[in-house]
Amino acid sequence: MKYKILLFFILTASCSAELNKQNTRSSYFSSGFAYIYEENDFYNKIVTKKFDNSTFQISHDKLKTGTIVKVMNPENNKSINLKIKKKAKYPEFYQVLLTKAVLEKLELNKDIPFVEIQEIKKNKSFVASKAKTFNEEKNVPNKAPVTEVKINNILKTKESKKIKIKKFSIIIAKFYSKESAISLKNRLIKEMTSFNNKKISIKEKKKNSFELLSGPYNTVNSLKNDYIDLKKYGFEELEIKLNE
């Protein structure tokens, strides 16, 4: 099955080449759910490295140690720059591992911790702000009580408002031509018989830019199940996005 998919993408590579050129030149970017580290994860062998939940720490299974990344909460645009000091393995569904200190700093929803991750190339502007970012990391224990109060106030405010249900989609593949997207969609419907084909759609982003999507989903569990099914089918790179 994986061989068939590989052959398909080789045949359609010329169609998606223009989209991939830009991605090759730019720094790494992805979006999806963060795995929030728990104290027993290391001992239960869910995570291969031990982390300190009281400090700002991050791990990524693809990016090298020493890489600087910007982690952002797209819901409130809060972000933080962190250096990957440990490369660990964690459940495959998740895009990144974060400690609880980062969760609180970005005011992420602990039940739906959706983030965007951007690799930062070292330059003068980063060097100028680096000390501020990492000094902030050192001072986490002193600032923890203030952060806790702030989060509690936000939760009280949200209780009085109507909560908008977030919806997510899985980006299965991106194409330069609509015909290639339709071809893969038809293949998935034919071969993944247990998959709900009503979830599969094609979205035109702009001229000569198409996304093959699965969704929308309003629960993490339903999204996770389909994500795993698509992985088993043979897709190596899947992206999760928050619907507009």
Side-chain angles (χ1 to χ4, degrees):
M1 187 62 68
K2 291 184 179 181
Y3 172 78
K4 290 181 180 179
I5 296 175
L6 178 61
L7 179 60
F8 176 83
F9 280 110
I10 290 174
L11 293 174
T12 58
S14 58
C15 297
S16 57
E18 291 298 320
L19 292 177
N20 291 332
K21 283 180 183 177
Q22 185 63 34
N23 291 336
T24 302
R25 295 192 202 101
S26 62
S27 57
Y28 177 88
F29 175 86
S30 69
S31 59
F33 296 104
Y35 185 87
I36 308 303
Y37 182 76
E38 295 286 348
E39 298 298 341
N40 291 326
D41 284 349
F42 175 72
Y43 301 105
N44 292 332
K45 298 182 179 180
I46 298 172
V47 174
T48 57
K49 297 286 178 66
K50 191 175 181 180
F51 295 86
D52 181 1
N53 259 332
S54 67
T55 61
F56 295 144
Q57 292 187 357
I58 181 175
S59 183
H60 199 277
D61 60 356
K62 294 183 179 66
L63 296 175
K64 298 178 180 179
T65 54
T67 302
I68 307 297
V69 293
K70 177 180 180 180
V71 185
M72 187 175 81
N73 179 353
E75 285 292 285
N76 56 20
N77 289 326
K78 288 183 177 292
S79 65
I80 185 172
N81 296 340
L82 294 171
K83 180 185 290 186
I84 297 175
K85 296 181 180 180
K86 297 180 183 179
K87 189 172 182 180
K89 289 185 179 180
Y90 44 85
E92 186 180 10
F93 170 72
Y94 299 92
Q95 291 292 317
V96 67
L97 179 147
L98 302 175
T99 55
K100 288 184 179 179
V102 181
L103 173 85
E104 294 173 359
K105 172 70 177 178
L106 299 181
E107 296 177 4
L108 292 167
N109 182 332
K110 66 178 181 179
D111 296 318
I112 313 175
F114 185 80
V115 296
E116 293 178 349
I117 308 156
Q118 174 74 54
E119 178 187 2
I120 297 178
K121 300 293 187 181
K122 292 183 179 180
N123 53 39
K124 292 182 180 179
S125 62
F126 173 73
V127 172
S129 64
K130 183 170 65 174
K132 180 180 178 181
T133 300
F134 293 111
N135 282 336
E136 194 172 21
E137 177 181 349
K138 293 176 184 177
N139 294 329
V140 168
N142 295 330
K143 294 186 178 181
V146 178
T147 306
E148 185 178 350
V149 172
K150 187 176 181 181
I151 290 173
N152 288 338
N153 289 337
I154 289 170
L155 291 176
K156 288 179 181 178
T157 304
K158 286 186 176 180
E159 286 175 358
S160 62
K161 295 181 180 179
K162 185 177 180 181
I163 299 174
K164 184 178 179 181
I165 298 175
K166 298 180 180 66
K167 292 186 178 181
F168 302 88
S169 293
I170 301 173
I171 302 177
I172 301 173
K174 298 179 182 180
F175 294 94
Y176 183 72
S177 73
K178 188 174 183 179
E179 289 74 18
S180 297
I182 292 172
S183 179
L184 180 56
K185 177 184 176 181
N186 292 337
R187 180 183 289 269
L188 292 178
I189 292 172
K190 181 180 178 181
E191 298 185 1
M192 293 186 69
T193 54
S194 62
F195 199 90
N196 185 353
N197 57 52
K198 292 182 179 179
K199 294 180 181 178
I200 303 175
S201 62
I202 297 171
K203 182 176 181 180
E204 183 175 4
K205 297 290 291 180
K206 55 185 179 180
K207 186 178 179 181
N208 296 330
S209 178
F210 300 89
E211 290 180 344
L212 182 63
L213 304 169
S214 178
Y217 304 90
N218 55 22
T219 66
V220 176
N221 283 338
S222 60
L223 186 152
K224 186 176 181 179
N225 291 336
D226 283 355
Y227 182 95
I228 292 172
D229 284 345
L230 289 166
K231 279 280 189 177
K232 288 179 179 177
Y233 183 75
F235 290 100
E236 296 298 328
E237 296 294 333
L238 296 171
E239 185 178 341
I240 299 169
K241 74 171 186 176
L242 178 63
N243 291 1
E244 298 175 357

